Amino acid sequence: MTAFEPTVDDLLRTLAPQVVGVLTRRYGDFTAAEDAVQEALLDAARQWPAEGVPRNPRGWLIQVATRRMTEQVRSEQARRRREELVAGQVPADRRSAPGADAGTEGAHDDTLALLFLCCHPVLSPASKIALTLRSVGGLTTGEIAAAFLVPEATMGQRISRAKHRIKDSGVPFRMPDGAEWPARLDAVLHVLYLIFNEGYASSTGAALRRVELSREAIRLTRAVHTLLPDSAEVAGLLALMLLTEARGPARTGPDGELVPLAEQDRGRWDTAAIAEGVSLITAALPRGPVGPYQVQAAIAAVHDEAPTAAETDWPQILALYGVLARISDNPLIILNRAVAIAMVDGPATGLALLADPPPALTGHHRLYAVRAHLHELAGDQEAAVADYRTAARRTASLLERHHLSLCAARLAAQTGK
Amino acid sequence: MKYMLLMQFSEKNVDFPKLDEWKPEEIQAHIQFMKETNAGLTDAGELVDAQGLAMPETARIVRSHSGGAPVVTEGPFPESKEWVAGWWIVDCDTEQRAIEIAAAVSAAPGPGGRPLNMPIEVRQIMAIPPTEL
């Protein structure tokens, strides 16, 4: 198998949202369609590798899923009434799968409509992520449960409740109207961003599957970018993911420990991903309007393009954080800006910026981590050690606690405290 | 985010009789409440695991011993009057929601149907590092 030959998994993941879309449009029941397609996908995953991929895989999936749907409907209590309903909704000429030469018109729109449906505002972030991965990403419930380290039954219930909430909310399966479009696209991008983080942010032990989550997020974002090539924010998010993922291999050491950006072996960065990310963001920025993903991608690009940490263009990064602070209310931006200003004007200026942090940052472990770093730069080792220790106590991240404890211990050893 | 909810028992933080002095129907009501609560958390897709622990009388302290067999003793425990009676691991969207769940299980019925108001410690489970902005 070569890199250019798509695997059965790749094929199924591409086809999954299209088939859910076709069935949902045909029968008007997203919940039942999604269940039926899951079963058809499992059938295909079992049969295709052994028996070969059918000539019209999409038609095969539609046919099997339709049969599954009919079986489900039959087993329901209101059996006769439902059967009549399903039969009556299908024109006679569409009761079998389309021919092998049938086009896939509407397939792209279906993928987008499905994304908008799964990222519906009535759902919690965890439910949006789970439903998107299953309905649009084509992952099985078991795979999603494994990635999030929860029992399969828990994930199954989460997905099933999410589908019922969508059903109860009465949202039709269609593209959102012009007025609601931007807000819904924001929600979709946010969910893709969360999926990416879930995969990117972990890189140890049992978390092998999570690398696949960040790749899945990139694949889905790439698909949205293909569908909406003119959206600068979609391009910005894809660029941000690529530019971040490019640093992945250098981000942890041999024992899984965190390696800060400044100490990473830049030779291990993925230059192809950096090139693609830089070209995407370079093309997107002038198209405007500039949103937070584009600015974050631009910042990531400045970091990625520096041949060494010392050659980082900090004035440009500081300017970009200024832009970001105007368009986003995320309080963590203040911390990153403080680091940038410290690199440009010295640590005292950075510390001054953090002298009076907003309430959202009070007690936040990253406030202490950044302050510790700036104290260390300023040569105040005692204050740095104290802040590193506080940050280590307050983080909920195991890797980060190890890293911060090491920083504290290393500095304390130097000063003999 | 995953949270561990620890049901802490100590002689000083409860004012109800020991479990073996409860009436059978009171114990039944308590068990029923816990079963229903866990079923609700499963349905919500939030329950990762939940277990009750045996009485501290059955607990053992195990320490490795350099050059020899591990040493197993019946204590000493950090504070013999306080012990963990059971725990839940939940996976929910916010800390607020974890606190809500803890409040619900804290109100489990005891003798006379009165809520036990058992202290429930809410601890976030150490996980992955947050992605840099």
Side-chain angles (χ1 to χ4, degrees), chain A residues 8 43-53:
Chain A
V8 166
D43 286 349
R46 270 194 296 268
Q47 291 179 28
W48 294 4
E51 298 166 21
V53 176

Side-chain angles (χ1 to χ4, degrees), chain A residues 44 59 90 164 184 202 234 246 253 260 277 309-310 331 387 405:
Chain A
V90 187
H164 282 103
R184 295 295 290 278
S202 114
V234 175
D387 275 341
S405 305

Side-chain angles (χ1 to χ4, degrees), chain A residues 290-292 295 317-328 333 337:
Chain A
V290 175
V295 182
I317 289 176
L318 179 58
L320 287 166
Y321 274 120
V323 176
L324 191 55
R326 279 197 293 277
I327 56 178
S328 164
I333 293 168
R337 235 186 127 187

